[in-house]
């Protein structure tokens, strides 16, 4: 489609001549409850200035039809002005008013204005999601972050509905079966941050007040909402409680009053991401409304996301990056503040940095070792590049680097820099240099070299201790060896650990220092007794992979679970997982560590990560000849720990889920069926609806779940979640027919909504079914360019990443991937990046398998 993929050069050229004064957007969604209605009416009036009168420009719009285009009172023929992606206008005046009336499409992909009908009660719900560039699916727009403007929305909707947008509504007028909602103008914001939520949502309301330094009182109306059928599960008090703690914290740290009036939080169905920071109207995936029992890690994760999105009200909404190159200016900060804020806001989640070290950084390490890795400040050529850059580097690596920056300049200098940044650039757009300027002012440090090393280079360094001792076992020299393409400055703590009287591994010494170059001597360690464990990057101050000397590694093999401090233990687990992924530790050795010590792991989030990683080690990184034995060992371990776990505990639930993931033998599957039927019982284990679906998935993948049984479970749980889980179970059955149906449902039709696309792919790609799915490797590579050109980018990304033959860990599949890459040098760069990353995962698995065989 011409012009669909806006380039950075085009955006810069447009911004060089235009300044936008206001948008007025009118939407009529009264047709939404009718499933046969494919479109809604959208009318946009944008007032803008042009510094070059007589010039031409374009607005972005993805709509089935444009009814009219009017520029400064002059009618323009839509047939010539609209090319399917852009509305072209010429003869601009110094001051312009442009109106575009269009029929825009309701979405089923989570992009634009998404429409969902609840199977429980037939109610219809709408919400928008735009980042990075899908506002153009709802109204005509200059779709780039640096053309900010105030927005005024008017929405006509069914009379029984409520409607929300970024600002408060000023008026609601009833007109028969419809009501029209008039919203106040917003502050100047970027197009991708605008939002509309509409439908018969269940709403909980609250209020936040704060006395400001100038003696005035800040009043913020609060609300949280979800679908009516989820209301019995909606713990709004907990959500709003975290919200108020967060508002207290960010006001204290940022010293800039929340600038967007109200604060609504909508938990919406079939959402593609975790949440979105629309100012005044944040949207979250409704899976954060827990309809069955979850572990405390899930509550911590939700609280983290609430604070992450709240941090965006300042980092991203108040001050926005100029172009997507500097996406990190908001996402890295929000990811850092999510964890920092959980502790600083005095929530009950005191292990936030443990979760960050164990989970978020694992995402960063993986992304940063792809051949497609990029600096935190990236080179984003166009919107497709931008879409792929919402990755582990922009989020988690950037957050880890900010944690290192806080250690480097000090927390007070860091936050004083943030305060000046907000004051100086409020409602504007920034680049890297703008942030560095204020941090240099507050810290007194020249940060240009630091930024060059950390923000403008790619890759992850490895730090390894080198220990020499004398005849009496005292350290003669402890050095830190740094390996990597870029040798960065690291501020780290070195932890020295020995066993105490109870047998626990506890820290007996801590040395903080700057690591530079290939080799740095830790002078303070000389003369100390050789510890059992040398832990580099203790307290997780920097971003790196840590390795171990031989004696420390042996200590971990014998007693990793004995490390008393949970953050130190999480760092050790992260390190041995990186060794496994890098082909330096056999996968079966990692599995042995998990089976030996995971039962001792007190942090539930770490335990759940260990389950995921152990399963990956067996499925992808182990010698295929050992795979079946490894799977049996995991299932036996899960069953043993399930029976020994404290009744009713989070750990018991986690082990029950892990049993469902690993069950394959008669004993395990027999218990699974017994738990479903009620003929077997584990004291304290509540086999609620979500756990039931996990157990059914285990039976389905083993070929032991009949059509009538699965249909019966769906009948008992005729919800959106039930439909997703049922669809996944059908696709997970080990038959050629099941795989063909799942493949065709996704590839040959555009009828499925995003949630069911995801469910079919997940069920199709059961690793144990690699013999069945191997048949689809050749068709997969043939369909890539068609999928990329015909589907929305969100759905195309899911198909490309989800159907890649990950489980075919053999040289033939690697060769097929290489052949496609070699044969399609002109394919869309974003598509090539996805395939190249999948190919790299496959090559890594082959290297790990070679290590395991050896």
């Amino acid at each position: 489609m011409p012009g669909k993929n806006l380039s950075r050069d085009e955006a810069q050229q447009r911004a060089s001549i235009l300044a936008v004064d206001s948008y007025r957007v009118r939407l009529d969604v009264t047709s939404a409850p009718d499933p046969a209605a494919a479109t809604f009416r959208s009318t946009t009036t944008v007032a803008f200035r042009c510094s070059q009168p007589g010039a031409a420009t374009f607005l972005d719009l993805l709509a089935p039809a444009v009814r009219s285009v009017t520029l400064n009172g002059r009618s323009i023929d839509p047939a010539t002005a609209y090319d399917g992606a852009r509305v072209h206008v010429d003869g601009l005046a110094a001051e312009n008013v442009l109106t575009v009336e269009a029929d825009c499409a309701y979405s089923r992909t989570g992009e634009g204005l998404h429409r969902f009908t609840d199977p429980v009660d037939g109610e219809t719900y709408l919400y928008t999601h735009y980042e990075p560039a899908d506002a153009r699916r709802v109204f005509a727009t200059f779709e780039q972050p640096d053309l900010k403007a105030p927005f005024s929305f008017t929405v006509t909707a069914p009379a029984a509905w409520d409607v929300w947008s970024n600002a408060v509504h000023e008026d609601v007028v009833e007109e028969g079966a419809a009501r029209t909602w008039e919203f106040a103008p917003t502050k100047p914001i970027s197009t991708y941050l605008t939002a509309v939520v509409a439908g018969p949502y269940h709403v909980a309301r609250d209020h936040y007040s704060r006395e400001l330094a100038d003696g005035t009182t800040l009043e913020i109306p609060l609300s949280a909402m979800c679908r009516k059928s989820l209301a019995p599960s909606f713990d709004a008090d907990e959500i709003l409680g975290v919200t108020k703690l967060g508002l207290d914290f960010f006001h204290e740290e940022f010293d800039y009053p929340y600038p967007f009036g109200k604060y609504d939080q909508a938990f919406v169905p079939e959402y593609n991401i975790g949440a979105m920071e629309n100012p005044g109207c944040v949207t979250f995936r409704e899976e954060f409304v827990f309809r069955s029992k979850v572990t405390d890690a899930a509550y911590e994760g939700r609280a983290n996301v609430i604070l992450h999105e709240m941090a965006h009200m300042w980092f991203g909404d108040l001050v926005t990056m100029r172009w997507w190159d500097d996406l990190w200016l908001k996402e890295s900060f929000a990811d850092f503040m999510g964890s920092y804020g959980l502790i600083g806001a005095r929530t009950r989640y005191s292990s936030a940095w443990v979760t960050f070290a164990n989970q978020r950084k694992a995402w960063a390490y993986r992304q940063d070792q792809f051949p497609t890795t990029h600096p935190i400040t990236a080179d984003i050529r166009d919107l497709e590049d931008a879409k792929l850059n919402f990755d582990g580097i922009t989020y988690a690596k950037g957050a880890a680097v900010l944690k290192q920056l806080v250690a480097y300049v000090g927390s007070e200098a860091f936050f004083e820099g943030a305060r000046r940044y907000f004051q100086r650039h409020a409602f504007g757009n920034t680049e890297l240099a703008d942030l560095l300027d204020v941090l240099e002012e507050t810290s007194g440090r020249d940060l240009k070299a630091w930024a060059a090393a950390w923000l403008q280079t790619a890759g992850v360094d490895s730090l390894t201790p080198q220990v020499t001792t004398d005849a009496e076992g005292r350290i003669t020299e402890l050095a830190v060896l740094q390996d990597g393409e870029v040798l960065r400055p690291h501020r780290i703590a070195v932890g020295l650990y020995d066993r105490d009287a109870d047998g626990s591994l506890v820290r007996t010494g801590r040395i903080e220092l700057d690591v530079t170059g290939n080799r740095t001597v830790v002078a303070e360690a000389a003369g100390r007794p050789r510890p059992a464990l040398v832990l580099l990057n203790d307290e997780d101050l920097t971003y790196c992979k840590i390795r171990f000397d031989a004696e420390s590694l042996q200590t971990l093999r014998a007693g990793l679970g004995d490390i008393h401090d949970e953050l130190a233990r999480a760092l050790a687990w992260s390190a041995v997982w990186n060794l496994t992924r890098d082909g330096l530790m056999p996968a079966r050795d990692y599995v042995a560590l998990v089976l030996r010590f995971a039962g001792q792991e007190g942090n539930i989030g770490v335990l759940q990560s260990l389950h995921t990683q152990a399963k990956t080690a067996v499925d992808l990184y182990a010698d295929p000849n050992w795979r079946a034995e490894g799977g049996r060992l995991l299932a036996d371990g899960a069953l043993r720990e399930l029976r020994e776990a404290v009744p009713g505990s989070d750990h018991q639930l986690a082990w029950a889920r892990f049993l469902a993931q690993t069950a394959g033998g008669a004993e395990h599957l027999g218990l699974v069926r017994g738990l479903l039927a009620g003929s077997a019982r584990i004291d304290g284990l509540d086999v609620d609806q979500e756990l039931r679906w996990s157990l059914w998935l285990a039976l389905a993948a083993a070929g032991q779940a009949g059509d009538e049984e699965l249909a019966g479970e769906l009948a008992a749980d005729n919800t959106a979640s039930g439909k997703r889980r049922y669809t996944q179970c059908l696709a997970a059955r080990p038959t050629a027919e099941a795989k063909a149906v799942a493949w065709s449902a996704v590839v040959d039709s555009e009828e499925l909504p995003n949630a069911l696309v995801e469910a079919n792919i997940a069920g199709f790609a059961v690793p144990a079914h690699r013999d069945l799915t191997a048949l689809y490797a050749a068709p997969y590579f043939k369909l890539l360019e068609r999928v990329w050109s015909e589907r929305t980018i969100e759905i195309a990304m899911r198909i490309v990443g989800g159907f890649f033959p990950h489980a075919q860990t053999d040289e033939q599949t690697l060769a097929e991937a290489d052949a496609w890459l070699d044969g399609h040098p002109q394919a869309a760069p974003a598509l090539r990046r996805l395939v190249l990353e999948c190919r790299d995962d496959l090559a890594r698995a082959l290297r790990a398998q070679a290590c395991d065989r050896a």
Side-chain angles (χ1 to χ4, degrees):
M1 184 177 290
K4 186 175 180 180
N5 187 17
L6 179 72
S7 73
R8 177 176 53 204
D9 290 344
E10 290 174 309
Q12 289 174 341
Q13 192 281 327
R14 187 162 62 178
S16 71
I17 65 169
L18 301 185
V20 186
D21 294 314
S22 68
Y23 283 88
R24 183 159 188 85
V25 179
R26 301 185 65 90
L27 306 176
D28 184 340
V29 296
T30 51
S31 64
D34 179 4
T39 62
F40 59 92
R41 184 70 60 85
S42 168
T43 304
T44 306
T45 298
V46 54
F48 63 99
R49 286 165 282 135
C50 177
S51 63
Q52 296 178 10
T57 192
F58 62 90
L59 278 77
D60 303 284
L61 178 66
L62 299 177
V66 172
R67 291 171 175 260
S68 66
V69 179
T70 305
L71 174 65
N72 299 329
R74 171 170 56 95
S75 179
I76 302 174
D77 184 1
T80 57
Y82 183 56
D83 63 11
R86 296 177 176 183
V87 178
H88 298 271
V89 292
D90 57 15
L92 296 177
E95 295 186 359
N96 303 273
V97 176
L98 175 65
T99 298
V100 179
E101 185 178 5
D103 293 329
C104 294
Y106 293 111
S107 168
R108 293 309 313 276
T109 66
E111 301 153 292
L113 182 64
H114 187 83
R115 177 171 61 178
F116 172 86
T117 300
D118 193 334
V120 174
D121 54 18
E123 296 281 13
T124 298
Y125 296 87
L126 302 177
Y127 64 86
T128 57
H129 178 70
Y130 298 149
E131 191 174 37
D134 285 317
R136 56 187 173 156
R137 297 182 184 275
V138 177
F139 58 92
T141 171
F142 295 114
E143 192 77 285
Q144 57 192 80
D146 58 343
L147 289 178
K148 285 185 166 183
F151 285 79
S152 299
F153 282 91
T154 301
V155 181
T156 302
W161 286 15
D162 289 322
V163 182
W164 293 264
S165 187
N166 303 92
V168 297
H169 66 268
E170 293 184 318
D171 194 18
V172 182
V173 178
E174 193 148 352
E175 305 164 306
R179 285 196 292 177
T180 296
W181 297 69
E182 293 276 357
F183 292 92
T186 69
K187 299 287 189 180
I189 58 175
S190 300
T191 56
Y192 76 91
L193 292 169
T194 59
V196 172
V197 175
Y201 284 88
H202 165 78
V203 186
R205 302 186 189 279
D206 205 333
H207 196 86
Y208 175 85
S209 297
R210 183 178 182 84
E211 296 296 324
L212 300 179
D214 62 4
T216 61
T217 301
L218 178 68
E219 303 284 356
I220 305 175
L222 307 177
S223 77
M225 67 204 75
C226 69
R227 288 186 289 127
K228 288 195 297 186
S229 64
L230 281 177
S233 302
F234 194 40
D235 54 339
D237 287 347
E238 170 74 14
I239 291 166
L240 293 169
V242 171
T243 300
K244 287 188 278 190
L245 289 173
L247 286 169
D248 270 340
F249 172 72
F250 287 121
H251 279 103
E252 290 167 8
E253 293 292 349
F254 294 161
D255 194 28
Y256 192 106
Y258 172 71
F260 299 109
K262 65 183 178 65
Y263 201 82
D264 299 325
Q265 295 175 99
F267 293 77
V268 298
E270 298 183 333
Y271 205 47
N272 283 328
I273 60 174
M276 180 63 204
E277 67 267 18
N278 316 307
C281 190
V282 183
T283 41
F284 297 81
R285 64 185 299 118
E286 71 176 16
E287 284 76 7
F288 285 127
V289 180
F290 306 123
R291 67 185 197 131
S292 292
K293 181 179 178 180
V294 296
T295 68
D296 207 47
Y299 288 97
E300 179 191 315
R302 183 179 67 185
N304 184 297
V305 174
I306 289 171
L307 296 186
H308 175 118
E309 303 309 323
M310 189 178 292
H312 274 310
M313 299 299 124
W314 289 267
F315 282 113
D317 296 358
L318 176 66
V319 184
T320 312
M321 70 275 155
R322 191 172 309 284
W323 176 249
W324 301 101
D325 293 346
D326 282 309
L327 175 64
W328 79 279
L329 279 173
K330 70 184 188 77
E331 293 302 347
S332 296
F333 276 88
D335 216 48
F336 170 75
M337 294 307 304
S339 297
Y340 190 93
L342 283 178
I343 296 169
R346 296 178 289 279
T347 72
R348 64 186 180 88
Y349 306 108
S350 59
S351 298
W353 287 122
V354 176
T355 304
F356 181 80
N358 187 256
Q359 296 178 18
R360 299 299 283 181
K361 289 180 76 172
W363 179 30
Y365 295 141
R366 177 175 179 268
Q367 190 79 46
D368 210 10
Q369 293 177 90
F370 282 139
T372 56
T373 187
H374 58 83
I376 294 171
T377 299
D379 178 25
I380 303 299
R381 296 161 295 186
D382 52 39
L383 291 178
E384 287 190 358
D385 275 358
K387 183 70 173 178
L388 266 64
N389 236 47
F390 290 84
D391 60 17
I393 295 172
T394 300
Y395 283 74
K397 179 181 179 179
V401 168
L402 288 177
K403 189 178 182 186
Q404 169 70 174
L405 178 60
V406 172
Y408 184 62
V409 302
S411 60
E412 182 50 43
F414 177 82
F415 282 103
E416 177 57 27
R419 295 171 200 127
R420 297 186 189 184
Y421 181 71
F422 300 139
Q423 291 288 347
R424 196 167 297 174
H425 301 288
F427 303 108
N429 297 86
T430 59
E431 298 172 343
L432 169 63
D434 300 305
L435 179 68
L436 293 182
D437 285 346
V438 294
L439 289 175
E440 287 182 341
E441 290 173 15
T442 58
S443 69
R445 288 178 178 261
D446 182 351
L447 293 177
K448 294 178 180 60
W450 182 92
W454 278 108
L455 303 177
Q456 297 169 327
T457 62
V460 55
D461 302 322
S462 297
L463 302 182
T464 305
Q466 184 182 65
V467 188
T468 57
T469 57
D470 60 20
E472 296 178 352
R474 293 190 173 274
I475 297 174
T476 55
E477 184 181 77
L478 169 58
V480 179
L481 308 182
Q482 180 174 188
D483 180 56
E485 292 186 12
V486 180
L487 302 182
R488 302 179 176 92
H490 295 268
R491 184 71 180 174
I492 70 167
V494 178
L496 309 177
Y497 287 77
D498 275 304
R499 292 194 180 274
D500 65 8
D502 296 328
S504 296
L505 281 165
V506 298
R507 189 166 68 188
T508 57
R510 178 190 184 277
I511 305 168
E512 188 168 326
L513 75 157
D514 291 320
V515 170
T516 57
N518 295 97
R519 190 173 190 272
T520 303
V521 174
V522 186
E524 289 183 45
R528 299 187 187 216
R530 157 77 215 209
L533 169 65
V534 177
L535 182 63
L536 301 184
N537 197 29
D538 204 1
E539 301 175 11
D540 200 33
L541 298 181
T542 194
Y543 172 79
C544 68
K545 291 191 294 185
I546 57 173
R547 308 300 199 194
F548 302 100
D549 63 288
E551 188 170 334
S552 294
L553 186 57
Q554 186 56 41
T555 296
L556 293 179
R557 290 181 184 276
L560 192 158
D562 299 331
I563 300 175
H564 178 73
D565 180 77
E566 66 172 355
L567 178 54
R569 196 169 61 246
L571 292 171
W573 278 120
S574 174
V576 295
W577 176 239
N578 279 323
L579 288 171
T580 307
R581 291 191 73 249
D582 292 346
L584 301 175
M585 173 180 281
R588 67 190 71 196
D589 287 7
Y590 179 79
V591 169
L593 283 170
V594 172
L595 291 173
R596 183 172 181 184
F597 298 118
Q600 299 174 228
E601 180 52 56
N603 185 290
I604 187 63
V606 172
L607 176 63
Q608 291 173 296
S609 293
L610 296 180
H611 289 164
T612 300
Q613 291 163 355
K615 185 77 164 54
T616 300
V618 169
D619 289 339
L620 299 180
Y621 297 159
D623 178 359
N625 293 323
W626 184 78
R627 195 179 283 146
E629 181 183 348
R632 284 193 298 272
L633 289 172
L634 289 183
D636 287 344
L639 181 56
R640 179 183 67 251
E641 297 294 345
L642 172 60
R643 295 191 185 282
E644 294 179 359
V646 174
S649 66
D650 282 2
H651 286 66
Q652 183 188 57
L653 177 58
W655 286 110
R657 290 175 175 171
F658 192 48
L659 177 64
Q661 294 169 26
T662 56
E667 178 186 7
H668 313 120
L669 292 171
L671 175 60
V672 166
R673 184 166 286 280
L675 289 171
L676 284 167
S679 58
R681 187 171 180 273
I682 303 290
D683 186 30
L685 182 66
D686 179 15
V687 185
D688 59 22
Q689 189 58 65
E690 286 300 315
L691 182 55
R692 287 184 66 81
W693 279 118
S694 296
L695 298 172
W696 277 119
L697 182 60
L699 293 178
Q704 296 187 23
D707 290 349
E708 292 185 4
E709 291 179 308
L710 293 174
E713 192 67 28
L714 177 62
D717 182 29
N718 186 27
T719 64
S721 180
K723 179 65 173 177
R724 290 195 300 271
R725 301 300 297 271
Y726 171 75
T727 300
Q728 183 180 358
C729 286
L730 292 181
R733 294 175 297 176
T735 66
E737 180 185 15
K739 302 306 178 188
V741 169
W743 174 275
S744 179
V746 173
V747 170
D748 298 330
S749 170
E750 297 185 32
E751 295 301 312
L752 288 182
N754 51 339
L756 295 186
V757 167
E758 185 176 324
N760 271 291
I761 291 173
F764 175 93
V766 174
H769 299 168
R770 51 181 54 85
D771 290 344
L772 288 169
T773 56
L775 303 174
Y776 293 87
Y780 166 85
F781 288 109
K782 290 179 181 177
L783 65 79
L784 288 175
E785 288 190 294
R786 175 174 68 84
V787 163
W788 198 259
S789 64
E790 294 178 359
R791 300 297 185 91
T792 68
I793 190 169
E794 184 69 43
I795 298 300
M797 287 169 61
R798 292 181 187 217
I799 294 173
V800 173
F803 276 145
F804 185 90
H806 295 280
Q808 314 308 320
T809 50
D810 53 52
E811 294 292 344
Q812 178 182 340
T813 308
L814 190 67
E816 290 176 329
D818 287 337
W820 187 89
L821 289 164
D822 291 343
H824 296 81
Q826 302 306 315
L831 171 59
R832 285 183 54 84
R833 172 178 166 176
L834 285 172
V835 176
L836 187 57
E837 289 177 355
C838 290
R839 184 262 179 215
D840 192 69
D841 272 337
L842 183 58
R844 179 178 292 275
L846 290 173
R847 293 193 298 272
Q849 287 178 13
C851 173
D852 194 60
R853 278 194 298 273

